[in-house]
Amino acid sequence: MSDTHFRVKESQHIKMKEIAKKKGVRYVKDVYDEAIENYIREYTQESIVSDTNLELYINNRITKAEDHLASMLGRTGMDVSMVLMGLIMFLEKATNLTREELYRKLRVEGARYFSTSIKNDKEK
C-alpha cells in the first residue's frame, strides 16, 4: 500500500505535531492516520444512522398501510355480513326454511362450488 501526499494548513500541522508530542508518538503521520481513520468511522456511522432513519420512515408507512387495510377489511366484512343476512331473511320467507336449515344447505353448496371453481382455475 502506498502513501498519498496532501497539504494541510501550517496551523493544523503544528497542532498535530503537538498532539504527537503529547501522545509520545514518534511520527506525526501516525496521528494523521488515526485522525483520518476516526473521521472515516464517524462518517460511516452517520451514514448508518441516516439509513436507519429511512428504514424507520418506511416501517412507519407500512404500519399505516396495514392499519388502513385492516380497517377496510373490517368494514367490508360488516357489509358482507349485512348482505348475507338480508339474503338469508329473504330466503327464509321465500322457502319457509329456518335459518339453520338454509345455513346448512348453503354451506354444503358453497363448499362444493368453491372446490369446483378452484379445481377449474388450476386446470386452466
Side-chain angles (χ1 to χ4, degrees):
M1 179 169 67
S2 64
D3 290 338
T4 301
H5 297 279
F6 63 95
R7 296 182 179 269
V8 296
K9 294 179 186 174
E10 181 67 26
S11 61
Q12 291 174 334
H13 183 64
I14 291 170
K15 289 178 184 176
M16 290 300 260
K17 286 187 341 186
E18 289 171 3
I19 292 170
K21 190 180 286 185
K22 285 180 185 176
K23 288 180 109 179
V25 177
R26 186 171 178 185
Y27 300 107
V28 178
K29 177 190 173 303
D30 295 338
V31 178
Y32 279 109
D33 288 343
E34 182 182 343
I36 291 170
E37 286 174 16
N38 287 338
Y39 176 81
I40 291 170
R41 190 178 313 113
E42 183 180 322
Y43 183 82
T44 305
Q45 189 65 29
E46 287 175 7
S47 296
I48 290 170
V49 169
S50 175
D51 291 346
T52 301
N53 288 339
L54 178 61
E55 182 180 347
L56 290 173
Y57 173 77
I58 291 171
N59 285 340
N60 186 30
R61 297 294 295 179
I62 289 172
T63 300
K64 285 183 179 180
E66 287 173 343
D67 292 345
H68 184 66
L69 285 172
S71 173
M72 288 174 58
L73 286 172
R75 284 192 301 266
T76 302
M78 183 61 177
D79 292 344
V80 168
S81 181
M82 289 169 37
V83 169
L84 178 63
M85 286 313 299
L87 289 172
I88 294 283
M89 291 168 79
F90 175 75
L91 288 171
E92 208 175 9
K93 290 180 180 173
T95 62
N96 293 323
L97 295 172
T98 66
R99 285 184 186 183
E100 290 77 20
E101 292 169 329
L102 283 168
Y103 180 78
R104 272 187 255 119
K105 189 170 186 156
L106 291 172
R107 181 90 176 155
V108 170
E109 291 299 319
R112 185 178 300 131
Y113 174 77
F114 184 76
S115 299
T116 305
S117 68
I118 288 176
K119 184 179 176 183
N120 290 339
D121 286 345
K122 285 183 180 178
E123 288 174 0
K124 290 180 184 177

